[in-house]
Every structure is written in C-alpha cells, then in structure tokens.
Amino acid sequence: MTKLSVNINKIATLRNSRGGDVPNVVQFAKDVQRFGSQGVTIHPRPDERHIRYQDVYDLKPVVHTEYNIEGNPIQKFIDIVLEVKPTQVTLVPDAEDAITSNAGWDTIKHKEFLVDVIKEFKNNGIRTSIFVDPELKQIEGAKDTGTDRIELYTEAFAHQYSLGNEQAIQPYTECAVLANELNLGINAGHDLSLENIKFFKDNIPNLLEVSIGHALIAESLYLGIENVVQMYLQRLK
C-alpha cells in the first residue's frame, strides 16, 4: 500500500489569515494521524506565509508517523532540518517568491550542490528525497546525487488527466520503471486528488508515498477531513 502523507500548509495559511492560532496546526497534525494518515508534510518558506519556522519545532513531538519537511535547501532550512531531524527531507528548488512549487531539480546542472547537501542530511540519519520532473535524464541524474528517493512532480499529469488525457501518465510510468532499476524510492506530489490518485497509483510501480495538501484540504471542506483521509487510503491500497 502506498503511504499517504498529509501536507498541512493550507491549515497554517488559514490560521495566519486571522493572526491567531485557529485552526491549530499541531492539533490538526494529531488528528490526521488519528484518522489514518501515515505521515505529515510541511513546507516552510522564508517568508513564513503558511508554515512558520516555530511550527517545525512544535510539530516534532506530535508526529509519530513519518515527518516530512520540504523546502529549498538554503542555509536556514538546512540548519533547522539538521536540528529537528525529521524522518525525511524533500529538497525542492522553489524560488522564495513562488506561490507554490513549480518545477523539479535539474539534477545534472546542480549535481555537485545536491551531492553535498544530501550527504550532510544522510550523515545525520535523515532520509532524503528530491523533487524531479518526469524526465529520464533527471532520474539518472538523481541517482548520481546519492538521494534515497525522488518525488515525481505531478502537476502536468493532474492537469492533462482532468482534460481526459490518460496518456499523460506515460512519462511518469517510464520514470518509475527506471527509478526502480536504479534502486531509488519513489514518492509523488502536486495536484494529486481523489479524482486522479487511484489511476496514478495503479500506473506507478512501487509508489512508496504521496504527499497531498491543497486538494485534500479543499475536498475536506465538503466531505470532512476524517472521511477524506479514509477515502485516500482506500484508493491507495
């Protein structure tokens, strides 16, 4: 079964919009795990517009499943991850002013940088994953960085699938086959939803984990968070 990690950034965005502590991100993390989520994902950004750096520390004691911290490995991010020591760190090359992540790493161009960062995390017992586009050369490049896993950037698939184009899965399947041959673990995320998650999972061999935030929270507005978590788990079996 593919694991579900719930990205709780949107809960922090809602909290920050009123300046208080409602909804409480720590309580929400406790709840989604109680409802069956096998992980909690956060993505702190330098402007702290959703997850704040303090949240990273506050969540550590309550995440008893997999704790996945995503982000661009600037020095402050690296320092926090090394101090908190989550289960997994996912490296994402997003610009500081990006609304959301919008591209994977060029694992060839940035190989030397990624090798150094990944080595430091792995030396501290933290599993590493890097965000990549569904291109075979980038999967090969990822192997050369020493990373444990890749996270396939799924926005293109999700968009095309919503238009009825099931062939959009093909490059992802090809990349997954190659990743398996290279002994790279496979994660995935971005715009995955109840609508497309089963099709995606069924076509990605050995998909270990998906990280879902925006769609899951939006769907929960109508269906309820406990119900939605269970619906994802059923589709990921």
Side-chain angles (χ1 to χ4, degrees):
M1 180 177 174
T2 303
K3 289 185 176 180
L4 170 67
S5 185
V6 176
N7 186 315
I8 63 173
N9 280 14
K10 283 296 182 294
I11 299 304
T13 301
L14 184 59
R15 172 199 64 187
N16 296 351
S17 70
R18 287 294 294 267
D21 196 31
V22 177
N24 182 279
V25 295
V26 171
Q27 185 60 50
F28 195 84
K30 292 179 181 178
D31 289 338
V32 293
Q33 292 173 100
R34 180 164 56 88
F35 299 151
S37 174
Q38 295 118 333
V40 173
T41 293
I42 58 172
H43 188 147
R45 287 186 165 88
D47 62 7
E48 299 184 281
R49 64 179 180 270
H50 36 65
I51 289 293
R52 299 169 181 154
Y53 287 125
Q54 184 58 46
D55 295 328
V56 180
Y57 297 97
D58 293 344
L59 287 162
K60 172 67 174 178
V62 304
V63 180
H64 56 80
T65 56
E66 291 191 359
Y67 191 15
N68 176 41
I69 303 179
E70 300 179 340
N72 193 335
I74 61 174
Q75 193 59 52
K76 185 168 185 177
F77 178 86
I78 292 172
D79 292 343
I80 290 175
V81 171
L82 290 176
E83 184 175 354
V84 173
K85 289 186 170 58
T87 316
Q88 176 176 267
V89 58
T90 301
L91 308 181
V92 183
D94 53 354
E96 291 190 15
D97 59 350
I99 295 175
T100 186
S101 304
N102 55 20
W105 285 98
D106 184 331
T107 58
I108 300 166
K109 180 179 179 180
H110 299 289
K111 174 185 172 181
E112 188 173 327
F113 171 73
L114 289 169
V115 166
D116 290 343
V117 172
I118 287 168
K119 183 178 180 181
E120 187 168 14
F121 286 136
K122 290 179 70 172
N123 284 344
N124 281 271
I126 303 168
R127 188 174 73 222
T128 58
S129 178
I130 55 177
F131 203 53
V132 292
D133 295 319
E135 300 174 5
L136 295 176
K137 65 179 181 180
Q138 299 301 340
I139 308 304
E140 292 170 346
K143 177 63 177 179
D144 292 336
T145 68
T147 189
D148 299 301
R149 297 187 183 186
I150 56 169
E151 178 173 332
L152 292 171
Y153 173 40
T154 52
E155 181 181 16
F157 157 75
H159 175 67
Q160 288 297 316
Y161 186 83
S162 71
L163 300 176
N165 179 16
E166 293 187 353
Q167 293 304 309
I169 195 66
Q170 184 175 349
Y172 294 88
T173 302
E174 292 173 354
C175 284
V177 169
L178 177 58
N180 285 318
E181 292 174 354
L182 296 174
N183 293 315
L184 287 171
I186 305 168
N187 298 341
H190 205 95
D191 288 349
L192 294 175
S193 67
L194 286 174
E195 177 186 6
N196 59 38
I197 189 64
K198 187 178 190 308
F199 181 85
F200 184 83
K201 183 259 182 187
D202 287 347
N203 285 277
I204 304 299
N206 298 318
L207 178 63
L208 297 176
E209 178 180 303
V210 292
S211 174
I212 305 179
H214 182 82
L216 187 150
I217 301 304
E219 291 156 348
S220 298
L221 293 175
Y222 289 94
L223 302 172
I225 184 65
E226 181 174 7
N227 187 37
V228 166
V229 168
Q230 291 298 313
M231 292 169 75
Y232 273 100
L233 296 175
Q234 286 295 321
R235 286 161 170 77
L236 290 169
K237 284 184 177 178

